[in-house]
Amino acid sequence: MKLVLLGAPGAGKGTQADILCGEYNIPTISTGSILREAVKNGTPVGLKAKEFMDSGALVPDEVIIGIVKERLEQPDCEAGYILDGMPRTINQAQALEDGGVEIDAALSLEVLDETIVERMTGRRVCGECGAVYHVVSNPPETDGVCNACSGELKLRADDAPETVKQRLHIYHEQTEPLKDFYKSRGKLLLVEGRETIEETSREVKKALGL
């Protein structure tokens, strides 16, 4: 099972990836994590990436692809993997393909923008212990106060309405076109995001034939 998970920020990709990884013993390959790991380990591609990072420049796609390929050659990827945060653009998807990185399916979690805005702007995080609440679906016992440690609950900058809308705009402009890219290769699977994590997970497994 070699998957790419697509979907807008807040669609639930990370949660569904965690469920699949836990149940089917395959790793999630996060580009941010493996980039830091490659730099730390001083691999040839990691050293190349470090040059760009040290100068404050964006790491080019070809270097990112090289690091992804290095990671996919490790033994824990033999039974499959889920790519998280990659590809973000058609250029990256094409580069992965040209580099021989195989994908069985690109699964897109479909959630309405209004639902995502409501979901993300309603999140509150405890400044003390990091516990996460939601003003509608998982409210604290006392408004603005953490159940666990009585810390103050805050709206993260990432979850502010204008920030969420900007992130959605970037997704629709840069990443959503990937659906057509994978559809043209017969690899696109669309899954409607449901009310609960469990319901969505059932739909994901159904789409994957699990």
Side-chain angles (χ1 to χ4, degrees):
M1 183 162 55
K2 298 168 182 174
L3 295 181
V4 166
L5 280 184
L6 302 175
K13 299 184 297 296
T15 301
Q16 295 304 321
D18 287 345
I19 291 170
L20 290 171
C21 291
E23 291 189 19
Y24 299 99
N25 199 29
I26 58 173
T28 296
I29 309 301
S30 161
T31 48
S33 299
I34 61 172
L35 183 58
R36 289 188 292 272
E37 192 69 17
V39 170
K40 181 182 158 191
N41 292 339
T43 68
V45 189
L47 291 172
K48 203 174 201 177
K50 190 173 185 300
E51 289 176 21
F52 290 98
M53 292 162 75
D54 286 348
S55 67
L58 283 174
V59 181
D61 284 351
E62 61 267 24
V63 178
I64 296 286
I65 303 298
I67 285 171
V68 170
K69 287 184 71 177
E70 272 184 353
R71 177 66 183 86
L72 297 183
E73 286 164 6
Q74 293 179 23
D76 64 335
C77 292
E78 285 178 7
Y81 46 80
I82 298 172
L83 289 180
D84 176 20
M86 176 76 171
R88 287 187 187 276
T89 64
I90 286 177
N91 283 345
Q92 287 183 350
Q94 188 64 60
L96 278 174
E97 202 172 79
D98 294 344
V101 175
E102 293 180 25
I103 298 299
D104 294 326
L107 190 142
S108 179
L109 286 176
E110 302 290 297
V111 181
L112 293 173
D113 281 7
E114 306 89 85
T115 304
I116 284 173
V117 171
E118 182 184 291
R119 188 183 286 178
M120 294 179 76
T121 58
R123 279 198 298 216
R124 298 294 182 271
V125 181
C126 176
E128 299 296 325
C129 72
V132 180
Y133 297 86
H134 193 279
V135 294
V136 176
S137 61
N138 180 32
E141 291 165 7
T142 303
D143 189 32
V145 180
C146 177
N147 296 350
C149 73
S150 299
E152 183 187 354
L153 301 183
K154 299 177 181 178
L155 175 70
R156 294 188 318 176
D158 270 4
D159 293 335
E162 289 312 309
T163 307
V164 173
K165 287 172 186 172
Q166 177 61 18
R167 291 173 69 194
L168 284 169
H169 173 73
I170 291 168
Y171 165 75
H172 290 307
E173 192 175 68
Q174 297 183 6
T175 306
E176 196 166 34
L178 284 169
K179 291 200 289 190
D180 285 337
F181 178 90
Y182 286 114
K183 185 179 180 181
S184 70
R185 286 148 176 78
K187 294 183 177 182
L188 180 67
L189 300 173
L190 299 178
V191 171
E192 293 291 332
R194 302 295 181 186
E195 285 291 316
T196 68
I197 291 168
E198 293 75 20
E199 287 174 314
T200 302
S201 180
R202 280 196 291 273
E203 293 296 323
V204 165
K205 290 173 187 174
K206 186 175 165 187
L208 292 171
L210 300 172

